[in-house]
Amino acid sequence: MGKLVIDGGNKISGEIGVQGAKNAVLPILAATVMADGVCTLKNCPYLRDVDKTDLVLERLGCRVHRAGNTVTVDTRGMCDCKICEDLMREMRSSIIFLGAIISRCKKAVVSMPGGCPIGLRPIDLHLKALRELGVDIQEEHGYIKCSTDKIVGGNIHLDFPSVGATENAMLAAVCAEGFTTITNAAREPEIVDLGNFLNCMGAKVRGMGGSVIKIEGVSKLHGAEYTIMPDRIVAATYLAASAITGGEICLKNVNPRDMVAMLHVLLDMGVQLRIEKDKIIQKAPKKLESIHIVRTMPYPGFPTDIQSPFMALATVARGTSIFIENIFENRFQHVDELTRMGADIKVEGRSAVVRGVNALQGANVVARELRGGAALVVAALAANGTTTIGGTEFIDRGYENIEKYLLECGAKIRRE
Ligand code: EPZ
């Protein structure tokens, strides 16, 4: 278990080119198995989750080659349709392969993904959507066994705009016979990116980004070249890192239109922003204002993934902030660790009341999941003294080389 050691107090100022989006590249890598050919993906971040997804592809018989931030996937040797327990336990979001494997092989066997530190992570909506497309699904001995003679287009209604269920439905439907409509679909930008990639492969997907997605099934898909969208959560995390230290930062290779809810919260906290097409320049005040109340919601609402890094901001803001976590049932694990650093946070069910303190103190803390770990990094950058953060393997799942980017912006940070 690696550690990050941070001496707080330096302003985080400078320029960062933001990495490709983890939550776009993972479903897009899964989608490559649907073409019997070669796909080239640019702006692929170096992340543990990408490495694990590459491993799933290789276990399925595909060949994966990385040259810098470009990943090439050759699926012509695909010879399996099963994702074993070891891989699924390593990364539960491999469930996103289900729709893609079924689409190509008309069968799939995956180990049940189970939960993770932030919640139970059920997949009932995924399975209901696939059944709607004519897929027979048996759940036995810890495995989900899917098979079908052919996938038939249908009308899928999602009880909740689940990102993963929307993605699995899209992947299964693009080569179905006939038309598919997905209503109450997730509207996240990563869904748009997946739909754009599928269309580059020859699919006919319309309406991504809205709550109704329409798909006309095609007979086959071909390889494609595609550039992954910027990571809006990583971008907002770096804005938080600079804001908590009173710094001035320029983010390049971002899409501000994907970040409206987050940027509004930062403005309410007192930062100044200059927005350009693919650039955000932020100048932070000496002391941030509190966030009156923030509710995590499906896109375009405030993203659950930035709740914890922004809670770190609120711990040293002027006044009291309230966070309501509506998406996952256990996404306040960072609170204990922030409290060890002197934060004043009271959790009641899905609400966390954060009373701003004058300053945090460095301490030994541990990341228990990806975004909670990012929150500890944000807090440590402003804390008085040294903070040691254990559990860096969680942070490395979603943040490419975090210490490199922060070092270049003035942080005193090292990895042990
Ligand atoms: C994706 O997870 C992201 N992961 C998550 O990012 C993100 O927090 C989440 O979407 C919400 O935006 C990836 O894209 C790899 P959901 P996903 O299905 O698809 C319930 C990060 O930190 N639900 O939209 O699993 C579920 O319990 C990660 O980068 C069902 O009830 O999210 C949750 O309460 C964390 N049944 C809610 O929906 C289902 O079948 C949202 O889940 C599916 C979901």
Side-chain angles (χ1 to χ4, degrees), residues 341-362:
M341 299 175 72
D344 179 349
I345 308 171
K346 296 289 176 292
V347 171
E348 289 281 333
R350 294 218 175 205
S351 302
V353 179
V354 184
R355 288 179 53 183
V357 296
N358 189 41
L360 298 175
Q361 299 97 40

Side-chain angles (χ1 to χ4, degrees), residues 22-23 26 92-93 118 121-126 160-164 188 304-305 327-328 331 370-371:
K22 169 179 84 78
N23 292 347
L26 298 186
R92 62 163 304 287
S93 53
I118 66 174
R121 313 297 292 275
I123 59 167
D124 55 307
L125 300 177
H126 298 238
F160 180 88
S162 155
V163 171
E188 275 71 3
T304 175
D305 292 347
I327 305 297
F328 290 111
R331 204 163 200 178
L370 165 55
R371 306 300 176 184

Side-chain angles (χ1 to χ4, degrees), residues 18 73 95 135 151 156 173 282 289:
V18 173
V73 183
I95 193 66
V135 178
I151 301 177
I156 296 167
Q282 173 187 274
E289 297 302 320

